[in-house]
Amino acid sequence: MSIFHLAHLSDLHLPPPKGAFGWRDLLSKRLLSRIAWRRKHREHRPEVLAAVIADLKAHAPDHIAITGDLTNYASLAEYEAARVWLEALGPAHEITVSPGNHDALVGAKGGDSFAAWTPWLGDDGAATFPQVRVRDGVALFNLCSAVPTAPHLATGRLGQAQLDRLDALLGDPAYRDAFRVLLIHHPPVPGAVARRKSLEDLDALRALLARHGADLVLHGHAHEAMVSTAPGPDGAMIPVLGVPSASALGERGHPAARWHGVEIDRQAHGGIEVRLVARGLDPRTGQTGELGRYVLIQAGRPDRSTAQRP
Ligand SMILES: [Fe+2]
Ligand SMILES: [Fe+2]
C-alpha cells in the first residue's frame, strides 16, 4: 500500500518588502504590527526559512500544508511577496494555505482579501472556505480562522456560514473513506493560547468534530510544537498538532524553526499508521536535521495513540 507524505509548516512571517507600509497605515492596526515587526524581525529570518525549505524539499513531500501567518501586517505588497514565494515553493496543486491572523489585519472582508492566493487555497478557483482537496485518498479540509481584529488582539473566528459548510462537508459520504485532515491557523484547543489569541468559536468546531469525526487537525499560531486531542464520535480522540514557526531563530522563548513530516501509511490489511517526523534547525549547530519522531496513530485507532511531545 502507499504512504502519503504530508509536510506541515506554519507562521513564516516573511520579511515585508519595501512599500509594504504607507501613510494610510498610520491610523490602522498596521502601525502596531509594524512596531511589533521591528521587535520580531531578528527572530524570523529569511535565511532560516530558506534552510528549512531546502530540507523539506529534499524529502519531496506529496503535499505541503501551510497554516498561516505568511505575512506580518497584511498589506497588498506582502500578499504579492507571499504569492511570489509560494510560486517558487512548488506547484499550487501540491500546496494548501490556511491564512492566519497576520494575513487578515485590516479591511479584510471574507475570502476576497485572499484573492491573490486563490491557487493555494483549494481547487475551487475561489478564495472561499472551507475547501476540500483530495489527494491520493487524503482529504484536506482547508479552513480560514483569519479575521481582522482590534489592536492587541489576535483572535480567530470561523463564523457560522463556514461552520455550516464544514458541517455539510464532514458529513458528506464522498469523504467517508478518506483520511480527513483539517487545516486551521488558530489551535482548536481550550487554553492552548492566551484568550486574546484564541479561536472564538472553538466550541462549535469541536462539536462538529465530535459529531462527524476527522483523522487529524493541523494548526499554527502558537509558534510551539503542540500535541493535543479533540473528542471524536464513539470515544475516539482526534490528534491535534501544532508546529512552531518555520522561520524562527529560537531566541525569543519559542522553539527554533521546524517543519513536520506526517507519514500517512495505509497498510495492506486495512489498518493505518500515522507517523510524525519533526525536522528543523538545531540552534547549537545552525544545521537542519531530524529532531524526533513518533507514532501518532496505529491501526486506524487514534485512541491508541502513542503520542509524545517531539
Ligand atoms: Fe504567527
Ligand atoms: Fe497567528
Side-chain angles (χ1 to χ4, degrees):
M1 298 295 282
S2 63
I3 300 176
F4 188 86
H5 295 267
L6 175 63
H8 177 210
L9 65 160
S10 197
D11 295 86
L12 315 183
H13 294 287
L14 295 166
K18 282 190 169 39
F21 185 75
W23 65 269
R24 289 178 202 278
D25 303 314
L26 287 173
L27 296 176
S28 75
K29 189 178 176 184
R30 285 202 187 112
L31 177 60
L32 293 172
S33 296
R34 178 74 172 182
I35 295 166
W37 170 251
R38 287 200 180 123
R39 291 201 313 267
K40 277 202 286 194
H41 81 282
R42 290 188 180 280
E43 172 70 352
H44 294 284
R45 305 300 305 174
E47 65 272 21
V48 170
L49 179 61
V52 165
I53 294 301
D55 186 60
L56 181 153
K57 284 190 169 182
H59 289 76
D62 296 305
H63 201 88
I64 300 172
I66 305 177
T67 48
D69 281 0
L70 280 71
T71 70
N72 299 283
Y73 38 94
S75 65
L76 290 176
E78 283 192 288
Y79 281 141
E80 174 60 13
R83 189 192 65 75
V84 169
W85 187 89
L86 287 167
E87 271 192 340
L89 181 60
H93 65 273
E94 295 178 1
I95 303 163
T96 302
V97 171
S98 170
N101 55 297
H102 276 269
D103 305 321
L105 284 181
V106 182
K109 290 180 181 168
D112 286 343
S113 25
F114 304 111
W117 298 353
T118 294
W120 296 275
L121 304 178
D123 296 333
D124 292 357
T128 55
F129 302 93
Q131 292 191 46
V132 190
R133 288 183 134 168
V134 181
R135 300 287 186 270
D136 191 20
V138 176
L140 300 163
F141 294 74
N142 193 27
L143 300 168
C144 180
S145 59
V147 289
T149 60
H152 301 299
L153 291 181
T155 48
R157 184 171 61 254
L158 294 169
Q160 195 57 52
Q162 193 177 178
L163 286 164
D164 288 346
R165 288 194 292 273
L166 180 64
D167 191 7
L169 288 168
L170 285 175
D172 190 332
Y175 308 115
R176 188 179 52 207
D177 296 330
F179 186 88
R180 299 182 296 174
V181 183
L182 267 62
L183 308 180
I184 184 171
H185 180 66
H186 291 77
V189 179
V193 290
R195 192 178 179 86
R196 69 174 191 86
K197 297 181 175 182
S198 62
L199 182 65
E200 291 176 1
D201 38 16
L202 175 150
D203 291 341
L205 175 59
R206 288 173 75 92
L208 286 187
L209 290 171
R211 186 153 72 246
H212 296 296
D215 296 292
L216 181 61
V217 180
L218 301 179
H219 69 81
H221 190 51
H223 294 211
E224 297 283 349
M226 304 182 91
V227 182
S228 52
T229 56
D234 303 322
M237 297 304 288
I238 302 164
V240 180
L241 300 181
V243 68
S245 163
S247 61
L249 269 177
E251 294 181 346
R252 291 178 63 87
H254 292 297
R258 287 194 198 181
W259 68 279
H260 286 165
V262 180
E263 300 176 354
I264 303 165
D265 185 356
R266 278 76 52 101
Q267 297 169 344
H269 55 75
I272 192 163
E273 183 170 289
V274 178
R275 299 176 290 273
L276 188 133
V277 183
R279 297 188 60 87
L281 179 72
D282 182 339
R284 294 166 301 180
T285 64
Q287 303 294 314
T288 54
E290 183 174 317
L291 304 171
R293 65 170 62 213
Y294 60 95
V295 174
L296 188 66
I297 300 171
Q298 262 183 337
R301 295 278 306 277
D303 55 319
R304 289 173 56 194
S305 168
T306 56
Q308 299 166 14
R309 186 175 286 270

